[in-house]
Amino acid sequence: MSADWNTKYGTRRVRHDPPTLDEAIFAAIGITDDQEQQAEIAAALMGMPLETVQAEVKKQARTNSRITATRVIAGEQGAQRSVVVERRVVRRFGNDKRTGT
């Protein structure tokens, strides 16, 4: 779905991709741990019936309990990419040139 409008530089087009149910559930999981509230949030975001969303939330809860905390994000054209966050530890030893110690 896209929208066109005319500007002084010519016609501009913006692509609009509505979120998927999985993305709505993922957002709801980030907000609360309660499955009922997750289903209500996702149903409100998607405009879907609560019963349909509850079934999907329960399915995802079962699969998420078996899988480690790895998240896959869908990028452009359906390509998937993983996001890994690492913490780099910087260790400083006795001779710090800034402090003169």
Side-chain angles (χ1 to χ4, degrees), residues 50-100:
L50 183 61
E51 295 79 24
T52 306
V53 177
Q54 282 177 336
E56 289 297 320
V57 167
K58 289 178 183 178
K59 284 181 193 176
Q60 278 202 355
R62 278 184 265 148
T63 59
N64 286 345
S65 65
R66 289 184 251 156
I67 299 174
T68 59
T70 302
R71 298 289 182 197
V72 177
I73 299 172
E76 292 183 25
Q77 303 298 326
Q80 293 183 346
R81 59 188 171 102
S82 297
V83 176
V84 178
V85 178
E86 295 180 359
R87 180 174 173 237
R88 190 175 87 182
V89 178
V90 178
R91 295 184 184 192
R92 298 195 182 218
F93 295 100
N95 293 338
D96 188 0
K97 292 180 182 177
R98 291 181 293 168
T99 60

Side-chain angles (χ1 to χ4, degrees), residues 15-37:
R15 184 173 155 184
H16 175 72
D17 293 328
T20 64
L21 181 57
D22 290 337
E23 291 170 341
I25 293 172
F26 178 76
I29 289 171
I31 295 172
T32 182
D33 292 331
D34 183 26
Q35 286 186 3
E36 291 297 320
Q37 291 179 351

